[in-house]
PDB file of all heavy atoms in Angstrom:
ATOM      1  N   ASP M  65     -26.517  35.781  10.975  1.00 98.00           N
ATOM      2  CA  ASP M  65     -27.340  36.636  11.838  1.00 98.00           C
ATOM      3  C   ASP M  65     -26.515  37.801  12.356  1.00 98.00           C
ATOM      4  O   ASP M  65     -25.288  37.766  12.373  1.00 98.00           O
ATOM      5  CB  ASP M  65     -27.897  35.806  12.986  1.00 98.00           C
ATOM      6  CG  ASP M  65     -29.230  36.360  13.550  1.00 98.00           C
ATOM      7  OD1 ASP M  65     -29.302  37.543  13.842  1.00 98.00           O
ATOM      8  OD2 ASP M  65     -30.190  35.536  13.607  1.00 98.00           O
ATOM      9  N   MET M  66     -27.188  38.827  12.800  1.00 97.00           N
ATOM     10  CA  MET M  66     -26.527  39.950  13.505  1.00 97.00           C
ATOM     11  C   MET M  66     -26.364  39.697  14.973  1.00 97.00           C
ATOM     12  O   MET M  66     -25.576  40.364  15.671  1.00 97.00           O
ATOM     13  CB  MET M  66     -27.360  41.262  13.353  1.00 97.00           C
ATOM     14  CG  MET M  66     -27.258  41.840  11.927  1.00 97.00           C
ATOM     15  SD  MET M  66     -25.617  42.527  11.538  1.00 97.00           S
ATOM     16  CE  MET M  66     -25.647  43.974  12.633  1.00 97.00           C
ATOM     17  N   LEU M  67     -27.124  38.757  15.514  1.00 97.00           N
ATOM     18  CA  LEU M  67     -27.116  38.458  16.959  1.00 97.00           C
ATOM     19  C   LEU M  67     -25.960  37.523  17.288  1.00 97.00           C
ATOM     20  O   LEU M  67     -26.045  36.350  17.336  1.00 97.00           O
ATOM     21  CB  LEU M  67     -28.426  37.868  17.412  1.00 97.00           C
ATOM     22  CG  LEU M  67     -29.629  38.719  17.115  1.00 97.00           C
ATOM     23  CD1 LEU M  67     -30.929  37.961  17.521  1.00 97.00           C
ATOM     24  CD2 LEU M  67     -29.589  40.036  17.872  1.00 97.00           C
ATOM     25  N   GLU M  68     -24.790  38.155  17.528  1.00 97.00           N
ATOM     26  CA  GLU M  68     -23.572  37.343  17.623  1.00 97.00           C
ATOM     27  C   GLU M  68     -23.488  36.396  18.850  1.00 97.00           C
ATOM     28  O   GLU M  68     -23.204  35.224  18.643  1.00 97.00           O
ATOM     29  CB  GLU M  68     -22.336  38.278  17.646  1.00 97.00           C
ATOM     30  CG  GLU M  68     -21.014  37.570  17.567  1.00 97.00           C
ATOM     31  CD  GLU M  68     -19.859  38.514  17.306  1.00 97.00           C
ATOM     32  OE1 GLU M  68     -20.034  39.740  17.294  1.00 97.00           O
ATOM     33  OE2 GLU M  68     -18.745  38.005  17.001  1.00 97.00           O
ATOM     34  N   ALA M  69     -23.863  36.879  20.010  1.00 98.00           N
ATOM     35  CA  ALA M  69     -23.775  36.027  21.178  1.00 98.00           C
ATOM     36  C   ALA M  69     -24.737  34.839  21.057  1.00 98.00           C
ATOM     37  O   ALA M  69     -24.300  33.644  21.309  1.00 98.00           O
ATOM     38  CB  ALA M  69     -24.050  36.834  22.460  1.00 98.00           C
ATOM     39  N   GLU M  70     -25.954  35.152  20.657  1.00 97.00           N
ATOM     40  CA  GLU M  70     -26.973  34.079  20.531  1.00 97.00           C
ATOM     41  C   GLU M  70     -26.503  33.102  19.418  1.00 97.00           C
ATOM     42  O   GLU M  70     -26.646  31.885  19.585  1.00 97.00           O
ATOM     43  CB  GLU M  70     -28.359  34.652  20.216  1.00 97.00           C
ATOM     44  CG  GLU M  70     -28.917  35.471  21.352  1.00 97.00           C
ATOM     45  CD  GLU M  70     -28.642  36.942  21.212  1.00 97.00           C
ATOM     46  OE1 GLU M  70     -27.545  37.299  20.739  1.00 97.00           O
ATOM     47  OE2 GLU M  70     -29.566  37.720  21.579  1.00 97.00           O
ATOM     48  N   GLY M  71     -26.091  33.644  18.300  1.00 98.00           N
ATOM     49  CA  GLY M  71     -25.723  32.789  17.191  1.00 98.00           C
ATOM     50  C   GLY M  71     -24.527  31.904  17.469  1.00 98.00           C
ATOM     51  O   GLY M  71     -24.529  30.715  17.089  1.00 98.00           O
ATOM     52  N   GLN M  72     -23.529  32.441  18.164  1.00 98.00           N
ATOM     53  CA  GLN M  72     -22.326  31.650  18.535  1.00 98.00           C
ATOM     54  C   GLN M  72     -22.759  30.544  19.488  1.00 98.00           C
ATOM     55  O   GLN M  72     -22.254  29.414  19.353  1.00 98.00           O
ATOM     56  CB  GLN M  72     -21.308  32.544  19.233  1.00 98.00           C
ATOM     57  CG  GLN M  72     -20.624  33.575  18.305  1.00 98.00           C
ATOM     58  CD  GLN M  72     -19.556  32.934  17.453  1.00 98.00           C
ATOM     59  OE1 GLN M  72     -19.479  31.751  17.245  1.00 98.00           O
ATOM     60  NE2 GLN M  72     -18.733  33.793  16.864  1.00 98.00           N
ATOM     61  N   ALA M  73     -23.670  30.831  20.398  1.00 98.00           N
ATOM     62  CA  ALA M  73     -24.140  29.808  21.342  1.00 98.00           C
ATOM     63  C   ALA M  73     -24.893  28.682  20.644  1.00 98.00           C
ATOM     64  O   ALA M  73     -24.666  27.502  20.995  1.00 98.00           O
ATOM     65  CB  ALA M  73     -25.009  30.479  22.429  1.00 98.00           C
ATOM     66  N   VAL M  74     -25.704  28.998  19.722  1.00 98.00           N
ATOM     67  CA  VAL M  74     -26.434  27.995  18.961  1.00 98.00           C
ATOM     68  C   VAL M  74     -25.467  27.122  18.184  1.00 98.00           C
ATOM     69  O   VAL M  74     -25.546  25.869  18.188  1.00 98.00           O
ATOM     70  CB  VAL M  74     -27.514  28.653  18.049  1.00 98.00           C
ATOM     71  CG1 VAL M  74     -28.128  27.575  17.188  1.00 98.00           C
ATOM     72  CG2 VAL M  74     -28.625  29.363  18.900  1.00 98.00           C
ATOM     73  N   ALA M  75     -24.595  27.832  17.457  1.00 98.00           N
ATOM     74  CA  ALA M  75     -23.598  27.063  16.670  1.00 98.00           C
ATOM     75  C   ALA M  75     -22.787  26.086  17.487  1.00 98.00           C
ATOM     76  O   ALA M  75     -22.510  24.953  17.177  1.00 98.00           O
ATOM     77  CB  ALA M  75     -22.737  27.986  15.910  1.00 98.00           C
ATOM     78  N   ALA M  76     -22.373  26.575  18.664  1.00 98.00           N
ATOM     79  CA  ALA M  76     -21.519  25.793  19.584  1.00 98.00           C
ATOM     80  C   ALA M  76     -22.333  24.559  20.088  1.00 98.00           C
ATOM     81  O   ALA M  76     -21.756  23.443  20.218  1.00 98.00           O
ATOM     82  CB  ALA M  76     -21.040  26.632  20.750  1.00 98.00           C
ATOM     83  N   SER M  77     -23.586  24.799  20.330  1.00 98.00           N
ATOM     84  CA  SER M  77     -24.398  23.650  20.869  1.00 98.00           C
ATOM     85  C   SER M  77     -24.704  22.599  19.770  1.00 98.00           C
ATOM     86  O   SER M  77     -24.899  21.469  20.057  1.00 98.00           O
ATOM     87  CB  SER M  77     -25.747  24.198  21.466  1.00 98.00           C
ATOM     88  OG  SER M  77     -26.579  24.699  20.415  1.00 98.00           O
ATOM     89  N   ILE M  78     -24.708  23.057  18.491  1.00 98.00           N
ATOM     90  CA  ILE M  78     -24.893  22.124  17.423  1.00 98.00           C
ATOM     91  C   ILE M  78     -23.630  21.306  17.200  1.00 98.00           C
ATOM     92  O   ILE M  78     -23.691  20.092  16.937  1.00 98.00           O
ATOM     93  CB  ILE M  78     -25.290  22.825  16.140  1.00 98.00           C
ATOM     94  CG1 ILE M  78     -26.730  23.449  16.252  1.00 98.00           C
ATOM     95  CG2 ILE M  78     -25.292  21.916  14.936  1.00 98.00           C
ATOM     96  CD1 ILE M  78     -27.167  24.319  15.136  1.00 98.00           C
ATOM     97  N   GLY M  79     -22.528  21.958  17.289  1.00 98.00           N
ATOM     98  CA  GLY M  79     -21.234  21.248  17.123  1.00 98.00           C
ATOM     99  C   GLY M  79     -20.479  21.582  15.860  1.00 98.00           C
ATOM    100  O   GLY M  79     -20.703  22.659  15.223  1.00 98.00           O
ATOM    101  N   GLU M  80     -19.586  20.730  15.429  1.00 97.00           N
ATOM    102  CA  GLU M  80     -18.697  20.983  14.297  1.00 97.00           C
ATOM    103  C   GLU M  80     -19.408  21.137  12.978  1.00 97.00           C
ATOM    104  O   GLU M  80     -18.824  21.706  12.028  1.00 97.00           O
ATOM    105  CB  GLU M  80     -17.661  19.859  14.183  1.00 97.00           C
ATOM    106  CG  GLU M  80     -16.714  19.762  15.365  1.00 97.00           C
ATOM    107  CD  GLU M  80     -15.659  18.691  15.173  1.00 97.00           C
ATOM    108  OE1 GLU M  80     -15.757  17.955  14.155  1.00 97.00           O
ATOM    109  OE2 GLU M  80     -14.791  18.552  16.082  1.00 97.00           O
ATOM    110  N   SER M  81     -20.578  20.743  12.888  1.00 98.00           N
ATOM    111  CA  SER M  81     -21.381  20.881  11.619  1.00 98.00           C
ATOM    112  C   SER M  81     -22.027  22.251  11.497  1.00 98.00           C
ATOM    113  O   SER M  81     -22.733  22.507  10.535  1.00 98.00           O
ATOM    114  CB  SER M  81     -22.444  19.806  11.488  1.00 98.00           C
ATOM    115  OG  SER M  81     -23.385  19.839  12.584  1.00 98.00           O
ATOM    116  N   ALA M  82     -21.794  23.149  12.427  1.00 98.00           N
ATOM    117  CA  ALA M  82     -22.407  24.478  12.375  1.00 98.00           C
ATOM    118  C   ALA M  82     -21.362  25.566  12.490  1.00 98.00           C
ATOM    119  O   ALA M  82     -20.380  25.414  13.173  1.00 98.00           O
ATOM    120  CB  ALA M  82     -23.423  24.645  13.492  1.00 98.00           C
ATOM    121  N   LEU M  83     -21.622  26.672  11.777  1.00 98.00           N
ATOM    122  CA  LEU M  83     -20.719  27.845  11.837  1.00 98.00           C
ATOM    123  C   LEU M  83     -21.549  29.048  11.924  1.00 98.00           C
ATOM    124  O   LEU M  83     -22.547  29.251  11.174  1.00 98.00           O
ATOM    125  CB  LEU M  83     -19.855  27.883  10.512  1.00 98.00           C
ATOM    126  CG  LEU M  83     -19.120  29.199  10.250  1.00 98.00           C
ATOM    127  CD1 LEU M  83     -18.004  29.361  11.255  1.00 98.00           C
ATOM    128  CD2 LEU M  83     -18.596  29.174   8.820  1.00 98.00           C
ATOM    129  N   PHE M  84     -21.269  29.931  12.900  1.00 98.00           N
ATOM    130  CA  PHE M  84     -21.950  31.226  12.956  1.00 98.00           C
ATOM    131  C   PHE M  84     -21.231  32.214  12.166  1.00 98.00           C
ATOM    132  O   PHE M  84     -20.013  32.305  12.168  1.00 98.00           O
ATOM    133  CB  PHE M  84     -22.100  31.737  14.406  1.00 98.00           C
ATOM    134  CG  PHE M  84     -22.633  33.087  14.441  1.00 98.00           C
ATOM    135  CD1 PHE M  84     -23.974  33.356  14.248  1.00 98.00           C
ATOM    136  CD2 PHE M  84     -21.805  34.222  14.671  1.00 98.00           C
ATOM    137  CE1 PHE M  84     -24.501  34.645  14.339  1.00 98.00           C
ATOM    138  CE2 PHE M  84     -22.293  35.503  14.720  1.00 98.00           C
ATOM    139  CZ  PHE M  84     -23.662  35.737  14.500  1.00 98.00           C
ATOM    140  N   TYR M  85     -21.926  33.069  11.380  1.00 98.00           N
ATOM    141  CA  TYR M  85     -21.314  34.154  10.616  1.00 98.00           C
ATOM    142  C   TYR M  85     -22.160  35.388  10.810  1.00 98.00           C
ATOM    143  O   TYR M  85     -23.393  35.407  10.492  1.00 98.00           O
ATOM    144  CB  TYR M  85     -21.280  33.821   9.134  1.00 98.00           C
ATOM    145  CG  TYR M  85     -20.302  34.760   8.379  1.00 98.00           C
ATOM    146  CD1 TYR M  85     -18.974  34.382   8.185  1.00 98.00           C
ATOM    147  CD2 TYR M  85     -20.761  35.926   7.892  1.00 98.00           C
ATOM    148  CE1 TYR M  85     -18.132  35.269   7.521  1.00 98.00           C
ATOM    149  CE2 TYR M  85     -19.959  36.799   7.207  1.00 98.00           C
ATOM    150  CZ  TYR M  85     -18.598  36.458   7.015  1.00 98.00           C
ATOM    151  OH  TYR M  85     -17.774  37.289   6.359  1.00 98.00           O
ATOM    152  N   LYS M  86     -21.582  36.414  11.397  1.00 98.00           N
ATOM    153  CA  LYS M  86     -22.281  37.667  11.619  1.00 98.00           C
ATOM    154  C   LYS M  86     -22.397  38.439  10.269  1.00 98.00           C
ATOM    155  O   LYS M  86     -21.437  38.701   9.584  1.00 98.00           O
ATOM    156  CB  LYS M  86     -21.505  38.540  12.626  1.00 98.00           C
ATOM    157  CG  LYS M  86     -22.295  39.814  13.027  1.00 98.00           C
ATOM    158  CD  LYS M  86     -21.582  40.591  14.075  1.00 98.00           C
ATOM    159  CE  LYS M  86     -22.338  41.872  14.433  1.00 98.00           C
ATOM    160  NZ  LYS M  86     -21.612  42.659  15.507  1.00 98.00           N
ATOM    161  N   ILE M  87     -23.643  38.810   9.968  1.00 98.00           N
ATOM    162  CA  ILE M  87     -23.899  39.522   8.704  1.00 98.00           C
ATOM    163  C   ILE M  87     -25.084  40.429   8.757  1.00 98.00           C
ATOM    164  O   ILE M  87     -26.115  40.069   9.480  1.00 98.00           O
ATOM    165  CB  ILE M  87     -24.091  38.450   7.569  1.00 98.00           C
ATOM    166  CG1 ILE M  87     -24.353  39.187   6.271  1.00 98.00           C
ATOM    167  CG2 ILE M  87     -25.267  37.494   7.900  1.00 98.00           C
ATOM    168  CD1 ILE M  87     -24.483  38.238   5.031  1.00 98.00           C
ATOM    169  N   ASP M  88     -25.015  41.550   8.168  1.00 98.00           N
ATOM    170  CA  ASP M  88     -26.166  42.404   7.881  1.00 98.00           C
ATOM    171  C   ASP M  88     -26.622  41.982   6.501  1.00 98.00           C
ATOM    172  O   ASP M  88     -25.923  42.246   5.501  1.00 98.00           O
ATOM    173  CB  ASP M  88     -25.704  43.854   7.915  1.00 98.00           C
ATOM    174  CG  ASP M  88     -26.845  44.811   7.474  1.00 98.00           C
ATOM    175  OD1 ASP M  88     -27.908  44.323   7.067  1.00 98.00           O
ATOM    176  OD2 ASP M  88     -26.603  46.059   7.506  1.00 98.00           O
ATOM    177  N   VAL M  89     -27.759  41.334   6.443  1.00 98.00           N
ATOM    178  CA  VAL M  89     -28.139  40.745   5.160  1.00 98.00           C
ATOM    179  C   VAL M  89     -28.450  41.784   4.096  1.00 98.00           C
ATOM    180  O   VAL M  89     -28.575  41.422   2.901  1.00 98.00           O
ATOM    181  CB  VAL M  89     -29.359  39.775   5.307  1.00 98.00           C
ATOM    182  CG1 VAL M  89     -29.069  38.593   6.187  1.00 98.00           C
ATOM    183  CG2 VAL M  89     -30.583  40.553   5.876  1.00 98.00           C
ATOM    184  N   SER M  90     -28.583  43.055   4.473  1.00 98.00           N
ATOM    185  CA  SER M  90     -28.823  44.106   3.438  1.00 98.00           C
ATOM    186  C   SER M  90     -27.567  44.641   2.829  1.00 98.00           C
ATOM    187  O   SER M  90     -27.618  45.538   2.007  1.00 98.00           O
ATOM    188  CB  SER M  90     -29.597  45.198   4.092  1.00 98.00           C
ATOM    189  OG  SER M  90     -28.824  45.925   5.043  1.00 98.00           O
ATOM    190  N   ASP M  91     -26.419  44.060   3.242  1.00 98.00           N
ATOM    191  CA  ASP M  91     -25.100  44.530   2.777  1.00 98.00           C
ATOM    192  C   ASP M  91     -24.533  43.495   1.794  1.00 98.00           C
ATOM    193  O   ASP M  91     -24.202  42.400   2.134  1.00 98.00           O
ATOM    194  CB  ASP M  91     -24.166  44.712   3.970  1.00 98.00           C
ATOM    195  CG  ASP M  91     -22.857  45.401   3.569  1.00 98.00           C
ATOM    196  OD1 ASP M  91     -22.198  44.909   2.583  1.00 98.00           O
ATOM    197  OD2 ASP M  91     -22.422  46.334   4.271  1.00 98.00           O
ATOM    198  N   GLU M  92     -24.373  43.874   0.496  1.00 98.00           N
ATOM    199  CA  GLU M  92     -23.914  42.972  -0.521  1.00 98.00           C
ATOM    200  C   GLU M  92     -22.433  42.514  -0.257  1.00 98.00           C
ATOM    201  O   GLU M  92     -22.106  41.310  -0.470  1.00 98.00           O
ATOM    202  CB  GLU M  92     -24.007  43.632  -1.874  1.00 98.00           C
ATOM    203  CG  GLU M  92     -23.682  42.703  -3.003  1.00 98.00           C
ATOM    204  CD  GLU M  92     -24.032  43.272  -4.386  1.00 98.00           C
ATOM    205  OE1 GLU M  92     -24.314  44.506  -4.464  1.00 98.00           O
ATOM    206  OE2 GLU M  92     -24.008  42.494  -5.347  1.00 98.00           O
ATOM    207  N   THR M  93     -21.597  43.406   0.259  1.00 98.00           N
ATOM    208  CA  THR M  93     -20.242  43.051   0.513  1.00 98.00           C
ATOM    209  C   THR M  93     -20.153  41.950   1.541  1.00 98.00           C
ATOM    210  O   THR M  93     -19.352  41.045   1.456  1.00 98.00           O
ATOM    211  CB  THR M  93     -19.412  44.287   0.952  1.00 98.00           C
ATOM    212  OG1 THR M  93     -19.482  45.248  -0.095  1.00 98.00           O
ATOM    213  CG2 THR M  93     -17.959  43.921   1.231  1.00 98.00           C
ATOM    214  N   GLN M  94     -20.981  42.087   2.561  1.00 98.00           N
ATOM    215  CA  GLN M  94     -21.000  41.102   3.637  1.00 98.00           C
ATOM    216  C   GLN M  94     -21.511  39.730   3.127  1.00 98.00           C
ATOM    217  O   GLN M  94     -21.037  38.671   3.586  1.00 98.00           O
ATOM    218  CB  GLN M  94     -21.873  41.574   4.808  1.00 98.00           C
ATOM    219  CG  GLN M  94     -21.172  42.747   5.533  1.00 98.00           C
ATOM    220  CD  GLN M  94     -21.953  43.156   6.784  1.00 98.00           C
ATOM    221  OE1 GLN M  94     -22.470  42.335   7.529  1.00 98.00           O
ATOM    222  NE2 GLN M  94     -21.978  44.483   7.029  1.00 98.00           N
ATOM    223  N   TRP M  95     -22.422  39.744   2.209  1.00 98.00           N
ATOM    224  CA  TRP M  95     -22.890  38.484   1.550  1.00 98.00           C
ATOM    225  C   TRP M  95     -21.733  37.825   0.815  1.00 98.00           C
ATOM    226  O   TRP M  95     -21.562  36.569   0.880  1.00 98.00           O
ATOM    227  CB  TRP M  95     -24.039  38.745   0.671  1.00 98.00           C
ATOM    228  CG  TRP M  95     -25.407  38.539   1.288  1.00 98.00           C
ATOM    229  CD1 TRP M  95     -26.347  39.520   1.542  1.00 98.00           C
ATOM    230  CD2 TRP M  95     -25.997  37.317   1.666  1.00 98.00           C
ATOM    231  NE1 TRP M  95     -27.423  38.957   2.148  1.00 98.00           N
ATOM    232  CE2 TRP M  95     -27.273  37.608   2.255  1.00 98.00           C
ATOM    233  CE3 TRP M  95     -25.566  36.011   1.695  1.00 98.00           C
ATOM    234  CZ2 TRP M  95     -28.122  36.633   2.732  1.00 98.00           C
ATOM    235  CZ3 TRP M  95     -26.359  35.012   2.231  1.00 98.00           C
ATOM    236  CH2 TRP M  95     -27.635  35.319   2.731  1.00 98.00           C
ATOM    237  N   GLU M  96     -21.007  38.604   0.093  1.00 98.00           N
ATOM    238  CA  GLU M  96     -19.861  38.066  -0.656  1.00 98.00           C
ATOM    239  C   GLU M  96     -18.834  37.477   0.275  1.00 98.00           C
ATOM    240  O   GLU M  96     -18.261  36.426  -0.007  1.00 98.00           O
ATOM    241  CB  GLU M  96     -19.227  39.186  -1.535  1.00 98.00           C
ATOM    242  CG  GLU M  96     -20.187  39.645  -2.674  1.00 98.00           C
ATOM    243  CD  GLU M  96     -19.657  40.939  -3.345  1.00 98.00           C
ATOM    244  OE1 GLU M  96     -18.741  41.520  -2.812  1.00 98.00           O
ATOM    245  OE2 GLU M  96     -20.296  41.276  -4.390  1.00 98.00           O
ATOM    246  N   ALA M  97     -18.625  38.104   1.411  1.00 98.00           N
ATOM    247  CA  ALA M  97     -17.628  37.556   2.437  1.00 98.00           C
ATOM    248  C   ALA M  97     -18.181  36.267   3.038  1.00 98.00           C
ATOM    249  O   ALA M  97     -17.414  35.342   3.231  1.00 98.00           O
ATOM    250  CB  ALA M  97     -17.413  38.618   3.529  1.00 98.00           C
ATOM    251  N   LEU M  98     -19.500  36.218   3.268  1.00 98.00           N
ATOM    252  CA  LEU M  98     -20.072  35.013   3.791  1.00 98.00           C
ATOM    253  C   LEU M  98     -19.939  33.838   2.809  1.00 98.00           C
ATOM    254  O   LEU M  98     -19.590  32.714   3.107  1.00 98.00           O
ATOM    255  CB  LEU M  98     -21.536  35.216   4.110  1.00 98.00           C
ATOM    256  CG  LEU M  98     -22.368  34.011   4.664  1.00 98.00           C
ATOM    257  CD1 LEU M  98     -23.421  34.495   5.586  1.00 98.00           C
ATOM    258  CD2 LEU M  98     -22.945  33.192   3.569  1.00 98.00           C
ATOM    259  N   ALA M  99     -20.192  34.146   1.505  1.00 98.00           N
ATOM    260  CA  ALA M  99     -20.053  33.125   0.482  1.00 98.00           C
ATOM    261  C   ALA M  99     -18.650  32.561   0.470  1.00 98.00           C
ATOM    262  O   ALA M  99     -18.403  31.319   0.325  1.00 98.00           O
ATOM    263  CB  ALA M  99     -20.490  33.692  -0.881  1.00 98.00           C
ATOM    264  N   LYS M 100     -17.647  33.410   0.577  1.00 98.00           N
ATOM    265  CA  LYS M 100     -16.258  32.979   0.533  1.00 98.00           C
ATOM    266  C   LYS M 100     -15.909  32.159   1.717  1.00 98.00           C
ATOM    267  O   LYS M 100     -15.273  31.089   1.675  1.00 98.00           O
ATOM    268  CB  LYS M 100     -15.327  34.213   0.459  1.00 98.00           C
ATOM    269  CG  LYS M 100     -13.849  33.833   0.328  1.00 98.00           C
ATOM    270  CD  LYS M 100     -12.965  35.043   0.179  1.00 98.00           C
ATOM    271  CE  LYS M 100     -11.502  34.614  -0.034  1.00 98.00           C
ATOM    272  NZ  LYS M 100     -10.994  33.668   1.012  1.00 98.00           N
ATOM    273  N   ALA M 101     -16.406  32.616   2.951  1.00 97.00           N
ATOM    274  CA  ALA M 101     -16.092  31.933   4.223  1.00 97.00           C
ATOM    275  C   ALA M 101     -16.749  30.469   4.128  1.00 97.00           C
ATOM    276  O   ALA M 101     -16.140  29.473   4.605  1.00 97.00           O
ATOM    277  CB  ALA M 101     -16.615  32.649   5.387  1.00 97.00           C
ATOM    278  N   THR M 102     -17.935  30.431   3.613  1.00 98.00           N
ATOM    279  CA  THR M 102     -18.674  29.127   3.471  1.00 98.00           C
ATOM    280  C   THR M 102     -17.906  28.210   2.573  1.00 98.00           C
ATOM    281  O   THR M 102     -17.642  27.040   2.852  1.00 98.00           O
ATOM    282  CB  THR M 102     -20.071  29.368   2.981  1.00 98.00           C
ATOM    283  OG1 THR M 102     -20.774  30.248   3.881  1.00 98.00           O
ATOM    284  CG2 THR M 102     -20.808  28.030   2.825  1.00 98.00           C
TER     285      THR M 102
END
Side-chain angles (χ1 to χ4, degrees):
D65 207 307
M66 286 290 289
L67 302 175
E68 188 166 8
E70 294 94 324
Q72 292 281 18
V74 172
S77 69
I78 292 174
E80 294 183 356
S81 59
L83 168 70
F84 172 76
Y85 194 92
K86 185 176 181 180
I87 181 177
D88 173 355
V89 295
S90 68
D91 188 312
E92 186 168 12
T93 301
Q94 292 185 36
W95 266 112
E96 292 168 351
L98 178 148
K100 184 179 185 305
T102 302

